[in-house]
Amino acid sequence: MTDFQQHLQIITRRVLSLERLWELARFQPNDAQREAIIHVDGPLYLTAGPGSGKTRVLLWRALNLIVFHEVLPGEVFLSTFTEKAAHQLQEGLQSLLGLVTNLTGRPYDLTPMYIGTVHSLCRRMLSDRRRFSVDRQRHRPPTLLDELDQYFHLARNRTWTEVRQCAGLEGDANGIINGIFGVRSESRHVAVTNCLALFNRFSEECLDSDHALYRLDNDASSLRNYLQTWNLDREGLSLLVRLYAAYRESLRTGNGVEQTDFALSQQEAYRIVETCTGSDQVFRHVIVDEYQDTNTIQERLFFKLAAGTGNLCVVGDDDQALYRFRGATVENFVEFPARCHTYLGRAPRRLSLEINYRSQERIVDFYTAFMQQANWAKSDGQDGFYRVMDKDLVAHRQSPLPAVVASTPAEPTDVCAEIATLVRRLLDEGKVGDPNQIAFLFPSLKYRGAMLDSVRRVKEALEAVGLRVYAPRAGRFLEVDEAYDLIGLFVHIFGYPPRADLRGHDYQAYMEWLQSAEAQGEALMHSDPLLDGYVKERRAELVRVAQDYRALLRTAESHHWDLRAPYDPDRMKRPLYNAHGYSDEGKRLLASTYLDRVVRERTAKGQPFTLGYILKRVTSIDWNVLDLFYRLCGFEHFKRMFDLAERAEDEGPVTNLGLISQYLARFMEQRVPIITADLLVDKLFQKLFFGSYLFALYRRGETEMEDADDPFPKGRIPFLTIHQAKGLEFPVVVLANPRKDDRGPQRVELLMRPFLEREPGEPLERLAEFDMMRMFYVALSRAKNLLVIAHYKGKGQRINAPFITLLDAGFPRIPTFNLNALPAAQEKDEALPKIYSFTADYLTYKKCPRQYMIFRGFGFVPARSQTMFFGSLVHRTLEDLHHELIRRRESHE
Amino acid sequence: MPYPGELASKAAHAEIIRNPDVTAFLQECNYLTPPSDEECQAVAARFVPPLSAQVRTPAFVIAVDGSNHESSIDDKLPSTKIGYIKIGAVLIDLQQYGSLKVGKYVDPFRVAELQNQASALAFSIPSANIRWGNQPTVRESLRAWIDQQFYGPRTRFNAADPTTSLRSTLFHLAARRPGGLGTGDPYRLKIHKCPQCGNGPVELEDVPEQQYCPFCGAEVYPTDCLRVWEEAQEYQSNGVVMSRLMLILEHLVPFHYMRFLFKTAPLALSEMAFFVDGPLAIFGTAAWLHRSFMIFLQEVNRKLAKHGCHPLLMIGLQKTGQIVDHVSLIERHVSNDRLLAVDDEYRYKYILAGREPSRGGFGFETYYGQDLIYKTPTGRIFVFALPYPYPSKDEPGVDFVEEKVQFGHYPQLPTAIALINQLESDLYKNAVVPIALAHRYTAISLEPGGKVLDLLTRRALNA
């Protein structure tokens, strides 16, 4: 080692300290944060109020472990609730570790780190043969179905019939199933949707079908009482359990490959951890964010993973538990100390992050007072509470100025107008820089796919003062203008699907939507002759290939050639070439020397092409739906949308186009990757695309796919559900509907309870109230500078009880609110640093800034995804080879 | 020159004294005279208290100093000489240093430990009448051998990686050279002309292979860009070359550290201070380096600022020289804890005895740092320099001569002062501890150091 090298080592070893890193990152942790970051040994129970900087704490905690405690990135398991949060944490950590590298020269690779949603981590565990398999011989993990895939799987004719038959259900199955869910409908869509909601809950609670059926048949009086109290039918429950068993079987055997869903993949991961020796010590630290939203199987998994080390850190806020409908069990968090004792044999260290860095003092006071309006005591309070009670939230931004204001109690139209005027003033007077800094939050935005009247009123009031709204979850996504435009042009190119034998409101509404889209497409073509010409050319092309296919088919039939027989060019080429009505373009394809060569090669290998394949090949077209999408985007109407986004005037249209590209990519991936003429002959393509895929999206009211990075386009006011707003913050928040009716416990919860193998937790009759309180708490705590509450009054209007109490006569109202005292919203300071990659970001931007904006900024899916698929295939094959070599080496040793 | 055993005449100087021309010459000479008390007070009034600011002293100091010695290979051949240069870099952990004081005193054993964290580069130079390898002349030997030593594993941060060598650092600096001789590519440099045929420029790459002049085919070396070969003598002492090379190395070594840290752990640079002996200037044939230093420092500071870090601290501390001489004259008139940035007007008037100002301001072709005079609260006086806050002296819209003396342009000034206060030494006048340690570590004493080197030279060459 040279003297220089020795000097370097001395320097880089000593310049590093956590405090120095905090200084460089301009982070000044408070005492609780500091303690949470440096806690290393044993379980940690971290209660974190809204805006208390828990994400930063998690970030620094992970960094502290990796940099200062020799924990390898691959020994950290960090679970987050959303992929977005995982992405942010990973980028933040990478950036901070980059800082460490800049100080010490030591590089860090986060690739082995387990960071992501619990679903993605489970999936990773299933394929991590190195650490979670003894012999590296486990089969390829099952294909994971997301919610939409799951729906398509079960709703498919064949699967649905098989599942019903397996469950012993004949006749009016849909009506019977829907009846158990309390719905009078014969719709398969409704039945499938309800079943999936329950099946997922079953999976999350690790329901064993056989055991459940046994209990139903043999259980004691408590079950009878329960069924009687909630008016449930034992046979109905039994049927649902059988359907569940059949659904699981369908995943195992259907489609030729084993499939799984999110909930079941967790079960499988748990099973692996249970059976694989040493898997409880793979991770030296298990860290779980948003622990209040974990479900039973997740809780078991986390404790199992941490059993070997005891290092389980959970972070959460029971007051922000929102996802009961997805199986979340808030008791997992509230009762964590006791569970810790049970599973790990020791009590966790409790730390509470109570300083709120987000909101003005008055806002914090308001939502703290709001939560005190409910009685959280278990029975008489002797047995404790359903909530972590010893919290003392303190605002970091102390100010006596009012920051919470309500509208004048009035009829909805007047309230909306008053709020719209206030919003206009906030913008005009520079209190916020862009409309997307003002969020309107609602308990829900739509009902049965259509925008609620209460939401529409607010939207119209805002539009009346010249403001535009971005409401991706209000109404169907397919009802946005851009979807009308695009799908309308698609209708003109591909033509209508054949009329299906479907009844019902949904189908009628869908067909009307399709007609409107077609009319919109026509208007666009009318306004742009170039577009008109392009659409007609594509249409003619499709007609031509369909005619060619028919002509070739007729020739084959006239010669009695079997389409499955090998293609024999010497015998078949000439008659096909001379087929009556076969176009010149088609002839060129058939006569190509390249095709001849390929055919000869395949025949020589003993793998000749079939005649059917050749007919498809010479009549296929060289573009797919995504190509078509991008070509249409090149026309003036759509180009204007990109120009608007580029000038940062209005990003809404391009954001919507990005979402459409994602839906089209999914269609290609799952249904029709290449458009061939045989699909066009009997309008099979139109059936698949318009009649099945788009219809399913339409009736499901698909709205879920949003840009993970920046979902709120500039220039528009975001309308969000409160669930959607979780984890976000805005300078100004308008709670536009402080009303959530108590409709009792959800049906799925009622149907699930008899099968629970754990303590049931919060009583059914109080669930609705607790959930309402937590939901509004989330809404109220999103505001930074100003919280505006709509106060409706009048016939048919009401707001929930806690608001009635709090919005008393002395409460600040909009007309008397002094806007001057309100601080101007600061430009959003990126809380966590973002990492830009050299190839995906820098080089793409350098190549073309607009392309960068489209693909990286708005999440458009590239049209030529085949190359990526091939890349993945190569990668996975190499990985397989790698594992096989290691396995052989180990077995040899 | 006397013959051996010959004694000089006791009356030989009488002719000089009696020569009227000599007397006339002495009477006509202009020279610097000690200022009067009034002048001293006027000068002292220019000193101001340094700005008080919260500072964060660096974690480490690296002090670099050099020393050289020339040995004759034999008493019978006094005109055949080998030169030696030693460049020492002492690393001091300031936290460790702070703990050395026990009460009023410093623990001498632990000070000695500090010196153990020192590195040294030893260079040998073929001087008069010495040829190396197959080289035909002293000049060729000098060029080849210097290049080899700059490239050698001992100069590398990673012995196995030649791109971490001192020569690679030279490439990085030469690439930043403004004008036609800069390449902008840290793996290529240009020498202004081939030392053999005089044609140029010649572009060279940072590769291990020998490279040749495209014009004449002679061997050329990347280190030729330092142009020390221009002053090489075949038959006389090459003391000038040694001095030049030592000066270059004293400045190059800190930049060697900086370059490598900048590449691998750039933020660590904000935790460090570099002390070099003398003004921040490069004189002679390699003076062009000063521009590269300025550009490089600017790049480093830009990166550090991007991460919210303090600028890099580099201090040139002068133990001797004209300013130090001047300071000794006015010292008693200057109050404690006072600071002065030496501007051109002051320098030409009080220090350089009315010399004609040079184009573009003092040190336009050589200096990369501003000289400052500081009298500490304890009454010791230091002449030190901080790097100029600009990448060039021709920045558009900047009156460099005016701007270079504005304290506000030196954000690291308070830290430098705090550091000098912290490190002032009782050991030597005008020295801080790191420089004193570096000096002690590096200095080759006449006895026994010089004698031992003489013996080494003789034994090695006679063997």
Side-chain angles (χ1 to χ4, degrees), chain A residues 87-88 91-92 95 709 830 832-836 841 852 856:
Chain A
H87 197 61
Q88 274 187 340
E91 288 203 325
S95 171
D709 277 339
E830 282 295 328
L832 297 173
K834 188 169 161 54
I835 290 285
Y836 293 96
D841 290 300
Y852 180 81
R856 297 291 288 173

Side-chain angles (χ1 to χ4, degrees), chain A residues 224-430:
Chain A
R224 271 198 303 280
N225 290 340
Y226 179 85
L227 296 176
Q228 208 168 2
T229 307
W230 295 101
N231 197 20
L232 296 174
D233 167 33
R234 184 189 296 263
E235 186 47 40
L237 283 178
S238 172
L239 173 63
L240 292 175
V241 174
R242 292 198 305 275
L243 283 169
Y244 173 61
Y247 163 72
R248 291 191 61 169
E249 188 58 26
S250 76
L251 288 177
R252 204 162 25 245
T253 57
N255 251 0
V257 285
E258 194 178 345
Q259 300 174 110
T260 187
D261 59 32
F262 281 146
L264 287 170
S265 65
Q266 296 171 127
Q267 267 196 35
E268 177 65 8
Y270 178 72
R271 194 188 61 73
I272 286 171
V273 174
E274 242 191 342
T275 52
C276 182
T277 316
S279 57
D280 59 351
Q281 292 193 340
V282 166
F283 300 110
R284 282 169 67 189
H285 285 270
V286 176
I287 304 169
V288 186
D289 190 16
E290 305 282 9
Y291 197 73
Q292 77 280 358
D293 288 322
T294 54
N295 57 40
T296 302
I297 180 65
Q298 289 166 358
E299 185 198 47
R300 285 192 198 177
L301 180 67
F302 297 142
F303 274 113
K304 195 76 195 167
L305 285 173
T309 62
N311 294 329
L312 173 60
C313 163
V314 303
V315 191
D317 181 4
D318 52 309
D319 289 341
Q320 296 187 65
L322 285 186
Y323 289 96
R324 189 189 303 281
F325 67 91
R326 285 191 191 165
T329 311
V330 68
E331 295 85 0
N332 291 349
F333 186 72
V334 178
E335 306 290 340
F336 181 74
R339 307 268 170 97
C340 221
H341 225 278
T342 307
Y343 292 114
L344 300 180
R346 58 202 287 197
R349 180 170 183 201
R350 161 84 191 276
L351 287 168
S352 190
L353 305 181
E354 294 174 338
I355 299 176
N356 178 302
Y357 293 92
R358 176 188 297 158
S359 309
Q360 292 275 14
E361 185 181 11
R362 290 295 171 90
I363 297 172
V364 177
D365 292 347
F366 183 78
Y367 61 69
T368 303
F370 178 83
M371 288 307 271
Q372 286 162 356
Q373 300 296 309
N375 175 16
W376 299 93
K378 289 180 181 172
S379 59
D380 57 357
Q382 296 298 309
D383 300 332
F385 297 86
Y386 292 114
R387 178 175 178 245
V388 178
M389 296 299 285
D390 55 343
K391 296 174 196 162
D392 184 17
L393 300 185
V394 184
H396 185 255
R397 298 167 65 192
Q398 302 275 328
S399 163
L401 294 171
V404 188
V405 62
S407 71
T408 310
E411 292 286 342
T413 317
D414 298 333
V415 169
C416 292
E418 190 175 87
I419 291 175
T421 310
L422 174 70
V423 169
R424 184 77 258 178
R425 280 185 62 203
L426 287 169
L427 283 160
D428 292 345
E429 294 180 24

Side-chain angles (χ1 to χ4, degrees), chain A residues 2-3 7 14 20 24 102, chain B residues 93 156 257 265-267 271 309:
Chain A
T2 63
D3 290 344
H7 275 185
R14 295 204 203 143
R20 178 66 182 132
L24 285 170
N102 275 340
Chain B
D93 179 338
R156 300 177 189 173
Y257 276 97
L267 300 192
E271 305 288 333
C309 294

Side-chain angles (χ1 to χ4, degrees), chain A residues 6-23:
Chain A
Q6 277 170 338
H7 275 185
L8 207 67
Q9 282 188 356
I10 293 169
I11 292 163
T12 53
R13 216 170 31 233
R14 295 204 203 143
V15 291
L16 188 66
S17 71
L18 201 50
E19 287 73 15
R20 178 66 182 132
L21 288 173
W22 285 339
E23 198 182 315

Side-chain angles (χ1 to χ4, degrees), chain B residues 286-357:
Chain B
W288 60 267
L289 269 174
H290 88 278
R291 289 294 311 274
S292 298
F293 290 160
M294 286 174 74
I295 292 167
F296 182 78
L297 287 169
Q298 198 67 16
E299 283 173 28
V300 169
N301 286 336
R302 214 168 31 229
K303 174 133 188 173
L304 293 179
K306 205 175 110 188
H307 286 90
C309 294
H310 305 290
L312 184 138
L313 183 54
M314 183 176 190
I315 299 173
L317 199 80
Q318 300 180 40
K319 300 193 294 270
T320 56
Q322 286 166 315
I323 304 186
V324 175
D325 294 344
H326 166 72
V327 161
S328 66
L329 297 174
I330 60 164
E331 187 175 358
R332 63 197 167 90
H333 297 279
V334 179
S335 306
N336 288 358
D337 199 23
R338 290 289 186 276
L339 179 71
L340 176 83
V342 182
D343 61 35
D344 283 7
E345 181 245 324
Y346 184 97
R347 189 187 295 267
Y348 286 117
K349 185 172 177 187
Y350 295 113
I351 301 171
L352 299 178
R355 199 176 87 186
E356 198 64 28

Side-chain angles (χ1 to χ4, degrees), chain B residues 174-197:
Chain B
R176 288 169 168 83
R177 196 172 175 179
L181 291 177
T183 61
D185 176 352
Y187 299 99
R188 288 186 301 133
L189 62 69
K190 285 180 189 170
I191 54 177
H192 78 298
K193 66 176 182 184
C194 168
Q196 287 293 356
C197 68

